[in-house]
Amino acid sequence: MPVIVCFGPGPKFKGGISNYNTSLARTLDKDPDNEVHIVSWTQQYPSIIPREFVDKSSHSDFLEGTRIKVRYITNYNNPFSWKQTARYIASLNPDKVIFQWAISIQGIPMGSIAKWLKKHSGAEVLFDLHFVVQKEGSSIDEILTRRGIKHADTYITHAYKTVDELKKLFPHTDFVVNEDGHRSGHSTTVIKLFHPVYDLYQPDPEFNTDAFKNELGLREHVFLYFGFIRKYKGLHNAIKAFQKVAEQRDDVSFLICGEEFWATVDESKFSTKIKRALFGIAQALFLKNKESEQDYRPLTLVNELGLEESIVVKNEFIPNEDVHKYFQVSDCSVLYYLTATPSGVESLTYNFELPILATRVGHFPETIEHGFNGYLAEPDNIDSMAEEMLHFLREPLPPENVKEAAKEMSWERYAKAILND
């Protein structure tokens, strides 16, 4: 029986990487011949980061009905737990250990665990790369990334852009790239895959969308922004573009669902103030542009631009069991990102068969065919973004197109490539 370990945040954590790691484990568990484990962090980041990462809102259990075993063991701030993690994984006698790599700050603990496993276990070490070049780069990101991922036997990427970044990071490594998972015997294999379509969230055929639209005060046509509010996701540009649309149409709403990434803890607590001060010093030392995202507050634009009647804001973490409601009352998802790697929100949108309005950045031109399963706007061009929103209203795209575009992006196909050795 193959033993597979999925290392990354377990299902008790918020965010796309937790959902991703859980979805991958669930897919691997569908094969009765596999024994699947999730080995998770207890704390993913330095303790000075002023943010709440644990999901305290959801009640549903994504692992219900599976055989998956979960162990929360790795504390970023306790190096002794790193060795404990590596020893525990090795004790499972795994055939594969799949690390979810999504942020360079985790490079030291993850690199240490992977290095130990390479020496003391016979497992294939895979790094599933959600990025190589950090979206909000700092002066030490490249160093931490190289240290974190260099001990992999095999890499998984979700876009050719990431493959190119990997080759640049390790210029002397002989990489062989394929899309089927075949391992090269003499070179380092890179499996170029995709971000699979989430199956954790399903539409509810009995859900009363009209009643929920009325409850939220939504108009006929609804644009959706969903997920954490981060600067690289460009919500400030999306709001400005929507203003131009609302000036021409009185039948549109913009539904914004998600919590501000840096506004999840009690600001009045002394401990929070200490963390913010220490984290601010760290950012000033390492951020390339010296700009702290902690000050990013795009929702203030709603009042500044007089859009209170046409923009509905749910500024909170949406519990897992409520996610479907917001997608089912929407017509399309807006991803006017400044920079992009394959996005969990994009994958989630496809699961509800909604078209996507995105910018021509990162991998979006690879996955979104303009005029088929979405519309692409020019980055940093508010007029172009507004025009594509109007374009969608004039020429809506059928869900059949979205389903067709996403059919090759299944978790089963993804898992098959990982196991194809």
Side-chain angles (χ1 to χ4, degrees):
M1 174 179 285
V3 178
I4 306 168
V5 174
C6 298
F7 179 88
K12 78 173 187 179
F13 286 100
K14 299 176 182 177
I17 306 305
S18 171
N19 289 342
Y20 192 100
N21 199 39
T22 302
S23 291
L24 176 58
R26 279 168 44 115
T27 303
L28 294 166
D29 181 66
K30 290 177 182 178
D31 185 338
D33 290 334
N34 294 336
E35 178 184 321
V36 183
H37 299 257
I38 292 176
V39 177
S40 173
W41 304 88
T42 59
Q43 192 162 345
Q44 303 178 72
Y45 305 106
S47 56
I48 64 169
I49 294 183
R51 190 176 188 281
E52 176 57 68
F53 293 97
V54 175
D55 178 1
K56 297 179 179 179
S57 303
S58 301
H59 301 290
S60 57
D61 179 7
F62 285 147
L63 298 183
E64 184 177 354
T66 73
R67 300 165 297 143
I68 299 167
K69 302 174 180 66
V70 185
R71 179 79 178 269
Y72 292 90
I73 187 172
T74 315
N75 186 334
Y76 184 101
N77 303 282
N78 179 5
F80 293 106
S81 74
W82 309 348
K83 176 65 72 68
Q84 184 183 6
T85 300
R87 289 184 182 278
Y88 173 71
I89 293 174
S91 74
L92 299 172
N93 195 24
D95 295 279
K96 299 181 187 298
V97 182
I98 307 167
F99 288 84
Q100 295 302 321
W101 176 260
I103 187 167
S104 64
I105 200 171
Q106 294 175 343
I108 297 176
M110 289 182 71
S112 299
I113 296 167
K115 182 180 180 180
W116 195 94
L117 289 171
K118 285 274 286 185
K119 289 183 177 180
H120 300 282
S121 83
E124 179 188 16
V125 174
L126 300 94
F127 267 78
D128 199 337
L129 304 177
H130 295 258
F131 89 99
V132 170
V133 175
Q134 188 86 18
K135 295 186 183 78
E136 304 90 356
S138 79
S139 57
I140 64 169
D141 281 329
E142 185 175 310
I143 297 170
L144 292 174
T145 298
R146 187 180 290 110
R147 178 166 179 173
I149 70 176
K150 69 179 180 180
H151 299 291
D153 297 304
T154 303
Y155 296 98
I156 303 163
T157 71
H158 308 160
Y160 279 110
K161 178 177 181 287
T162 313
V163 176
D164 294 338
E165 293 170 350
L166 182 64
K167 290 179 177 179
K168 186 176 180 181
L169 186 68
F170 298 113
H172 303 298
T173 301
D174 181 22
F175 291 110
V176 173
V177 183
N178 65 61
E179 297 185 8
D180 62 8
H182 177 74
R183 308 302 198 266
S184 171
H186 305 288
S187 304
T188 300
T189 300
V190 182
I191 312 172
K192 187 277 167 186
L193 293 172
F194 43 85
H195 192 305
V197 175
Y198 280 126
D199 56 1
L200 297 176
Y201 310 96
Q202 296 293 335
D204 179 0
E206 303 300 322
F207 181 62
N208 190 329
T209 56
D210 290 336
F212 195 59
K213 285 181 80 167
N214 289 334
E215 179 184 331
L216 295 177
L218 296 169
R219 297 171 179 173
E220 180 181 356
H221 302 291
V222 181
F223 298 95
L224 174 67
Y225 173 98
F226 191 91
F228 292 135
I229 296 174
R230 302 290 305 274
K231 188 168 186 178
Y232 75 85
K233 295 185 178 184
L235 179 58
H236 56 293
N237 285 338
I239 292 173
K240 293 174 184 176
F242 177 77
Q243 180 195 27
K244 293 179 176 291
V245 175
E247 288 173 350
Q248 302 180 49
R249 302 278 298 247
D250 60 6
D251 58 351
V252 292
S253 293
F254 192 6
L255 176 58
I256 300 173
C257 298
E259 64 182 5
E260 292 175 291
F261 196 75
W262 296 110
T264 61
V265 290
D266 187 346
E267 298 292 335
S268 65
K269 287 186 176 181
F270 182 70
S271 59
T272 301
K273 294 177 181 178
I274 293 294
K275 287 182 178 182
R276 282 212 181 277
L278 293 174
F279 190 54
I281 293 170
Q283 286 186 311
L285 289 172
F286 298 119
L287 279 182
K288 289 177 180 177
N289 57 14
K290 308 301 181 186
E291 182 181 2
S292 172
E293 193 187 1
Q294 292 185 77
D295 302 323
Y296 182 60
R297 295 291 185 269
L299 295 178
T300 59
L301 288 170
V302 175
N303 291 328
E304 291 174 11
L305 300 178
L307 296 170
E308 300 93 330
E309 297 298 318
S310 54
I311 291 185
V312 176
V313 177
K314 295 288 289 184
N315 186 201
E316 60 192 51
F317 182 79
I318 306 299
N320 294 329
E321 51 270 19
D322 291 340
V323 167
H324 73 93
K325 299 176 182 178
Y326 299 95
F327 282 88
Q328 287 188 242
V329 296
S330 301
D331 298 296
C332 66
S333 188
V334 178
L335 282 68
Y336 283 160
Y337 285 20
L338 309 182
T339 60
T341 54
S343 162
V345 178
E346 178 186 8
S347 172
L348 182 55
T349 300
Y350 292 147
N351 194 51
F352 290 93
E353 299 182 2
L354 295 184
I356 291 175
L357 309 186
T359 39
R360 293 183 185 275
V361 297
H363 75 290
F364 284 141
E366 291 182 26
T367 55
I368 299 171
E369 182 181 344
H370 184 75
F372 183 73
N373 62 326
Y375 289 110
L376 293 169
E378 298 306 315
D380 298 316
N381 187 328
I382 304 300
D383 289 336
S384 175
M385 296 176 196
E387 174 52 36
E388 295 309 331
M389 295 173 95
L390 290 167
H391 192 176
F392 175 77
L393 293 173
R394 293 193 303 268
E395 299 178 42
L397 301 171
E400 292 77 20
N401 289 12
V402 180
K403 185 176 182 179
E404 174 68 21
K407 70 179 182 180
E408 297 299 320
M409 299 165 65
S410 71
W411 278 104
E412 285 72 24
R413 180 171 170 236
Y414 191 93
K416 182 179 178 180
I418 291 176
L419 300 175
N420 186 22
D421 61 341

